[in-house]
Amino acid sequence: MQWALSTLIVGGLTWLILGWLGLEIPILHAILFGALISPTDPIAVMGVMKSVGAPRQLEVQIAGESLFNDGLGVVVFLLLLDLSGWADFDKSVVASDAGFWQSIHIGQIALLLLKEVGGAIALGLSAGFATYYMLKRVDNYQVEVLLTLALAMGTYALTDAMHLSAPIAVVVAGLFVGNQGRALAMTEKTREHVDTFWELIDEILNAVLFLLIGLEILILPLERQWIIAGSLAIPIVLVARWVSVSGIISTLTGVSVQSKGAISVLTWGGLRGGISVAMALSLPANDSRSLLLTLTYFVVVFSILVQGLTIGRVIRRTTVQEVRND
């Protein structure tokens, strides 16, 4: 899977680079960084793709990948955080990586993932169906907006209390209501108000998140080696993205025709944003946290300011010509 390959590549290369710079951390902490930086945020890219007339296939690939990676990425991140013994970490454990890997049982990890992911999907579908059933019997957009809000908050709280993957449950419930609910249980007026409400919520939460980014940057101890490490993390993440995307697209090419320039667009359009920053900020305080936060901020800022502002040109050069020729 793309996210797994990206996580391993970023984690392995980051661990090597940090060791070279004299900033040793456990390899599992480096892989934890790979897990939190791999999920992508497609919101800005989707708007650009629509404005330049990019192929619909690429839009679906970017949006679908993000929905899947966000939920599963959070599960893997939390699992690695638990396995890493993060709260009890001190620099003396750097030398104990070999013993740690010998103590990991792959079967136990697979069973835990199956429980968290499978249980979350079942609960999300159940919550989505229950909300869909209520939406069909109500023709009042105010009530229907509140039902979608209750679905998101209630599903998250219940799933978290049951120690399942809350992000995956909410995504599954949202997909169910967003497809079946929109098509069969909502009027055009209701759809308009629901979309407006959730767009506003998204903007507010993003504003709060990036305010936290600014406040956190003020207290980060930016040393010379940290700045070098952050700068090197950017090409590491881009290389990992290119390798993982190339593998997936090459496999899909044998099954169906892919859009021209798909690898370039998906690589450069893999913007990192809110989900990565939120996971980085959730790390408990220890000797690795500030360093991983610095790496995350370097990648996210570059992603937003450089990739975000130039993705339109990449899309035009690689895909629009194909559309015109068709």
Side-chain angles (χ1 to χ4, degrees):
M1 294 181 181
Q2 183 270 328
W3 61 269
L5 183 57
S6 175
T7 295
L8 292 175
I9 294 174
V10 172
L13 291 179
T14 299
W15 182 68
L16 291 174
I17 290 296
L18 292 179
W20 174 65
L21 292 172
L23 302 171
E24 292 89 354
I25 63 173
I27 190 170
L28 196 63
H29 288 191
I31 294 176
L32 192 64
F33 169 68
L36 70 85
I37 206 66
S38 291
T40 56
D41 185 352
I43 301 300
V45 179
M46 294 297 293
V48 174
M49 294 185 77
K50 291 178 181 177
S51 66
V52 300
R56 176 65 176 168
Q57 183 185 38
L58 284 178
E59 295 183 26
V60 173
Q61 286 174 330
I62 288 180
E65 174 204 8
S66 177
L67 284 173
F68 181 78
N69 281 355
D70 283 2
L72 198 53
V74 172
V75 174
V76 174
F77 170 78
L78 294 175
L79 177 62
L80 290 173
L81 183 62
D82 183 57
L83 291 173
S84 67
W86 183 276
D88 301 322
F89 166 71
D90 59 64
K91 290 184 178 180
S92 64
V93 305
V94 174
S96 66
D97 281 331
F100 170 80
W101 287 109
Q102 292 174 0
S103 67
I104 290 182
H105 299 287
I106 301 300
Q108 293 179 352
I109 296 176
L111 186 61
L112 179 60
L113 281 174
L114 180 62
K115 174 191 171 185
E116 291 210 5
V117 175
I121 291 175
L123 187 58
L125 285 173
S126 300
F129 181 79
T131 304
Y132 165 75
Y133 181 83
M134 289 184 280
L135 288 171
K136 283 196 70 173
R137 280 151 181 78
V138 177
D139 188 15
N140 184 302
Y141 73 84
Q142 293 98 330
V143 175
E144 293 176 85
V145 168
L146 290 176
L147 282 173
T148 62
L149 179 61
L151 172 66
M153 298 182 66
T155 301
Y156 191 99
L158 178 60
T159 312
D160 187 58
M162 296 175 66
H163 304 291
L164 303 175
S165 173
I168 287 183
V170 174
V171 166
V172 171
L175 287 173
F176 188 90
V177 172
N179 286 278
Q180 294 294 108
R182 284 177 62 87
L184 304 176
M186 296 182 188
T187 63
E188 184 62 35
K189 184 177 182 180
T190 297
R191 286 193 288 268
E192 180 180 347
H193 282 88
V194 168
D195 290 346
T196 302
F197 172 78
W198 283 107
E199 287 173 6
L200 176 61
I201 293 295
D202 180 64
E203 293 296 331
I204 292 173
L205 293 179
N206 273 321
V208 172
L209 183 61
F210 282 97
L211 174 63
L212 292 176
I213 293 176
L215 295 175
E216 188 76 27
I217 288 176
L218 295 177
I219 63 173
L220 285 178
L222 289 178
E223 303 173 2
R224 178 175 174 271
Q225 289 176 306
W226 290 32
I227 295 175
I228 295 174
S231 301
L232 292 175
I234 295 169
I236 287 175
V237 171
L238 287 174
V239 168
R241 174 74 177 173
W242 180 82
V243 171
S244 58
V245 166
S246 298
I248 296 296
I249 294 299
S250 299
T251 302
L252 293 176
T253 301
V255 179
S256 61
V257 178
Q258 298 299 305
S259 299
K260 180 182 178 181
I263 294 176
S264 299
V265 173
L266 291 173
T267 299
W268 198 248
L271 272 63
R272 271 66 179 185
I275 187 68
S276 296
V277 174
M279 287 192 285
L281 290 174
S282 72
L283 292 171
N286 70 17
D287 292 335
S288 290
R289 182 180 187 271
S290 294
L291 177 56
L292 296 192
L293 271 174
T294 301
L295 301 183
T296 302
Y297 287 162
F298 266 79
V299 174
V300 170
V301 170
F302 176 86
S303 175
I304 294 172
L305 296 183
V306 179
Q307 292 176 245
L309 293 176
T310 58
I311 183 61
R313 298 177 187 175
V314 174
I315 295 173
R316 289 189 187 94
R317 291 178 181 177
T318 57
T319 66
V320 172
Q321 185 64 42
E322 176 195 14
V323 174
R324 288 175 179 171
N325 291 339
D326 291 343

